[in-house]
Amino acid sequence: MQIPTGTEPGVEGVVLKADVRDLDFYYGAFHALKKVSMPIHDHKVTALIGPSGCGKSTLLRCFNRMHDLYPGNRYAGGGIVLYPDNTNLLSPDVDPIEVRMRISMVFQKPNPFPKSIFENVAYSLRVRGMRNKNELDDRVEAALKEAALWNEVSGRLKELGANLSGGQQQRLCIARALASDPEIILFDEPTSALDPIATASIEELIIELKEKVTILIVTHNMQQAARISDFTAYMYLGEMIEFGVTDQIFIKPKKKATEDYITGRFG
Amino acid sequence: MTEHVSDRLSRKASRHVKERIIEFLLFGAAAFSVFITVAIVYVLVKESWVFFETVPLSDFLFDTQWTPLFDDAHYGIMVLLSGTLTSSGVALLVAIPLGTIIAIYLSEFAGFTVREVAKPFLELLGGVPTIVYGYFALTFITPLLQKFYPDLPGFNLLSAGLVMGIMIIPYVASLSEDAMRAVPMALREGSYAMGATRLQTALWVVTPAATSGIASAYILGISRAVGETMILAVAAGMQPNLTFNPTEPGATITSYIVQVALGDLPHGSIGYQTIFAAGLTLLLMTLAFNLLGYWLRKHYREVY
Ligand SMILES: Nc1ncnc2c1ncn2[C@@H]1O[C@H](COP(=O)(O)OP(=O)(O)O)[C@@H](O)[C@H]1O
Ligand SMILES: [Mg+2]
């Protein structure tokens, strides 16, 4: 794989889906992201790693404007350019709801809605105004298949989502995120609440999903980043320390700080 | 070394005694309230028993007149029940929609400042003595309604019910809002992350997630409406009237009980005995609503 030379699209073999440029973010007075830059490659898995509290979730939640929900949060400079639109999705005149329609998210702890399995997956479609029963049925089935959950739940779509096991709930949340055909899915430590078997099936799923969507995943588990990602970004104290092809980051990191973290000397 | 250990042991023992005393006091407080409840039920049942020795249960349930003080006495509780249900129905038609809308607004839309100002206001509304509401219904709402509907009698179930609804709004709103605010942020974030608007999130995720709490709020509202006395005694006329038409005057179970309790009927007379039978009916109704609330809570247990 070619190591990205620039963050602009158009370099041969490199297609960018988004590009974070000199992004500054504040929680009130707390400077949580400091001039962060990194490319997001189209149809690849990009992992964000770094010690707890370094700003991984903060960066991830900029992508779908989750920070807009809380007063006091501030995008203070730079931006995230979304391709092919070539627009800064953090710009104040971009509607956060439109951003979230295209960039979906799966959370750390499975958070199915208090609804049936079917309605959980149909939610993102209903939100978009889809009412046609047949179309909903088809899209829900397709999403559940893509999330490798269909075989387990096809006979019990009317049951509450909360009745499923933890791993199934997380796959339900992935199906929910997939149903509306997003361009990017953000994962914030999606397996940290799951057992090893459920974790393995989610990891496998994420690798398959990059055929369909671009994936950005936060993980505190370096082995996971190494297993599933194409690119890895190492963050520390709100700064982007190093970004590169995953193999390079894990085998030959350029920065001493990255190497210390990877080898477990720190973090 | 041994001394040290025994020292520690003895201190633990004394703490145990203190705990036992506190435990006993707490148990006493709980037992006392249970005792009072049992005593009330006992008196109601015992006195109603006396009543039903004279008046057959079938008359009580199916007679269409309530004239216990007349020579030709009839004891059809349906008459009072119709007044109670009609006024409560009007009240709930006001309180449930408005209370729910206010709760949704406060919990999901209002900013911090609005909420901090609005909540005490609501609670103030709930603290107004009901007699004030009664005269508000009689001297303000009824004349106002008569402007649009001149045939409306001076005493009627409609204005009493409307004002009762206003009185209940704070209970419904405040408890529903508590239930909605208890819904974890993670669920809302899940909804927003799917591209939902605030309104969609409020109606499709937060409200269903808070169902059991909201249902409890409604049940409390219903209990308040069914048990409300003063507003009806002042504004609804206290004339026993078998009707489900809110524009007519009517007596309710509660307003009848005040009427008799304030009158000078000799204790032990069958007329006096009616208030226990009426009170027992009220108690059974409230009990039924509470059981319903309990069942709803079990059934729609929050499943965050
Ligand atoms: N809502 C918030 N308000 C203020 N500070 C926050 C908030 N959320 C996170 N932080 C702080 O921002 C920093 C980055 O947090 P976060 O992005 O959650 O870290 P990570 O996901 O890498 O563990 C931490 O120091 C954290 O304490
Ligand atoms: Mg995090």
Side-chain angles (χ1 to χ4, degrees):
Chain A
M1 185 183 297
Q2 186 181 344
I3 294 172
T5 46
T7 56
E8 292 294 331
V11 180
E12 197 165 350
V14 174
V15 182
L16 289 193
K17 183 62 207 168
D19 195 17
V20 185
R21 292 186 191 162
D22 292 330
L23 178 62
D24 277 294
F25 177 83
Y26 286 83
Y27 288 113
F30 179 68
H31 198 173
L33 295 178
K34 298 167 188 161
K35 290 245 174 300
V36 168
S37 294
M38 74 180 287
I40 307 296
H41 291 251
D42 197 31
H43 288 275
K44 301 283 184 223
V45 177
T46 302
L48 292 173
I49 62 170
S52 178
C54 70
K56 306 180 295 292
S57 300
T58 305
L59 175 57
L60 193 77
R61 291 160 65 89
C62 288
F63 279 83
N64 64 345
R65 302 271 299 258
M66 271 327 239
H67 296 302
D68 292 39
L69 296 177
Y70 304 94
N73 295 347
R74 201 153 48 85
Y75 310 103
I80 301 178
V81 179
L82 186 65
Y83 297 115
D85 314 51
N86 206 10
T87 42
N88 176 10
L89 59 84
L90 294 181
S91 147
D93 40 68
V94 168
D95 180 0
I97 290 180
E98 256 172 52
V99 173
R100 294 177 199 140
M101 293 260 177
R102 295 173 55 183
I103 304 180
S104 202
M105 183 165 184
V106 174
F107 295 80
Q108 184 165 2
K109 198 165 158 273
N111 57 351
F113 302 133
K115 297 174 180 295
S116 68
I117 293 170
F118 181 91
E119 285 303 328
N120 261 283
V121 182
Y123 191 82
S124 54
L125 302 169
R126 291 199 188 281
V127 155
R128 287 157 179 74
M130 191 184 289
R131 293 288 174 273
N132 183 307
K133 178 85 177 87
N134 291 334
E135 204 178 351
L136 282 171
D137 283 350
D138 292 347
R139 296 281 294 261
V140 168
E141 180 176 338
L144 283 169
K145 281 180 174 157
E146 279 165 358
L149 191 58
W150 176 253
N151 290 340
E152 289 151 71
V153 302
S154 59
R156 44 198 282 223
L157 294 177
K158 290 207 166 69
E159 273 180 44
L160 276 182
N163 289 350
L164 297 172
S165 74
Q168 289 174 324
Q169 285 187 25
Q170 197 60 304
R171 277 179 282 149
L172 181 65
C173 292
I174 294 174
R176 176 174 84 184
L178 278 169
S180 57
D181 257 334
E183 296 160 37
I184 304 177
I185 298 187
L186 312 168
F187 288 85
D188 193 349
E189 303 195 16
T191 61
S192 66
L194 304 180
D195 63 67
I197 292 172
T199 298
S201 78
I202 301 270
E203 286 183 4
E204 203 178 309
L205 180 57
I206 289 173
I207 294 170
E208 283 167 19
L209 283 179
K210 70 178 176 183
E211 300 292 319
K212 191 175 145 68
V213 287
T214 300
I215 288 165
L216 184 55
I217 179 170
V218 168
T219 173
H220 63 268
N221 177 335
M222 277 182 285
Q223 287 72 34
Q224 182 168 72
R227 279 193 299 265
I228 68 175
S229 71
D230 302 300
F231 296 91
T232 297
Y234 171 61
M235 291 180 71
Y236 182 59
L237 293 180
E239 290 182 67
M240 182 60 65
I241 305 298
E242 185 167 355
F243 172 86
V245 172
T246 298
D247 290 349
Q248 174 251 310
I249 291 279
F250 280 89
I251 296 165
K252 258 195 343 224
K254 293 198 181 90
K255 301 260 173 71
K256 178 79 169 52
T258 315
E259 190 181 338
D260 287 350
Y261 181 70
I262 302 280
T263 53
R265 266 196 287 272
F266 154 79
Chain B
M1 190 64 193
T2 17
E3 237 169 61
H4 183 67
V5 169
S6 74
D7 186 36
R8 287 177 55 190
L9 282 175
S10 76
R11 252 190 284 148
K12 271 193 180 160
S14 75
R15 185 169 69 210
H16 191 61
V17 169
K18 230 193 283 173
E19 260 175 31
R20 286 298 292 267
I21 294 173
I22 290 169
E23 200 182 309
F24 180 78
L25 288 176
L26 292 176
F27 172 79
F32 183 69
S33 62
V34 171
F35 170 76
I36 294 292
T37 313
V38 170
I40 290 173
V41 174
Y42 172 75
V43 170
L44 275 179
V45 171
K46 183 170 146 274
E47 299 289 332
S48 304
W49 192 264
V50 177
F51 172 81
F52 286 117
E53 274 175 348
T54 320
V55 179
L57 186 63
S58 59
D59 283 6
F60 185 71
L61 292 180
F62 301 116
D63 201 323
T64 55
Q65 290 182 62
W66 179 265
T67 54
L69 309 181
F70 294 6
D71 288 341
D72 174 28
H74 286 273
Y75 304 96
I77 192 69
M78 273 205 314
V79 177
L80 299 183
L81 211 51
S82 76
T84 294
L85 292 179
T86 307
S87 57
S88 300
V90 172
L92 294 174
L93 283 179
V94 173
I96 286 187
L98 285 178
T100 311
I101 290 170
I102 291 173
I104 291 177
Y105 171 74
L106 285 182
S107 157
E108 304 302 308
F109 291 87
F112 180 78
T113 346
V114 176
R115 180 159 51 225
E116 291 315 291
V117 174
K119 268 225 129 177
F121 250 104
L122 269 183
E123 264 139 42
L124 201 69
L125 205 59
V128 175
T130 56
I131 185 85
V132 175
Y133 279 115
Y135 280 97
F136 176 66
L138 182 67
T139 60
F140 182 76
I141 298 293
T142 299
L144 188 73
L145 292 174
Q146 280 168 336
K147 289 215 175 89
F148 303 97
Y149 181 55
D151 291 345
L152 190 73
F155 292 111
N156 62 78
L157 291 164
L158 182 63
S159 359
L162 290 175
V163 170
M164 213 154 82
I166 296 172
M167 180 196 80
I168 297 168
I169 286 173
Y171 295 92
V172 174
S174 180
L175 285 178
S176 303
E177 197 238 11
D178 290 345
M180 289 179 183
R181 294 248 269 156
V183 173
M185 212 49 218
L187 272 189
R188 289 188 187 85
E189 287 196 351
S191 170
Y192 286 119
M194 296 301 113
T197 61
R198 270 186 187 217
L199 189 64
Q200 287 167 335
T201 303
L203 296 181
W204 296 353
V205 171
V206 179
T207 311
T211 306
S212 80
I214 295 174
S216 311
Y218 291 176
I219 298 285
L220 182 89
I222 295 173
S223 300
R224 295 276 321 187
V226 167
E228 175 48 36
T229 309
M230 233 40 227
I231 297 176
L232 291 146
V234 170
M238 302 207 270
Q239 290 143 275
N241 182 2
L242 180 58
T243 181
F244 290 100
N245 177 356
T247 62
E248 289 182 20
T252 63
I253 298 178
T254 51
S255 68
Y256 173 76
I257 294 175
V258 209
Q259 193 183 14
V260 171
L262 294 179
D264 43 18
L265 280 176
H267 286 217
S269 71
I270 186 71
Y272 190 77
Q273 231 48 50
T274 54
I275 68 174
F276 294 102
L280 187 63
T281 311
L282 196 62
L283 182 79
L284 289 176
M285 273 175 80
T286 317
L287 187 69
F289 286 127
N290 282 321
L291 287 178
L292 179 68
Y294 180 76
W295 181 82
L296 281 175
R297 265 197 303 279
K298 279 252 142 171
H299 217 73
Y300 294 96
R301 189 169 40 83
E302 267 84 357
V303 275
Y304 321 130

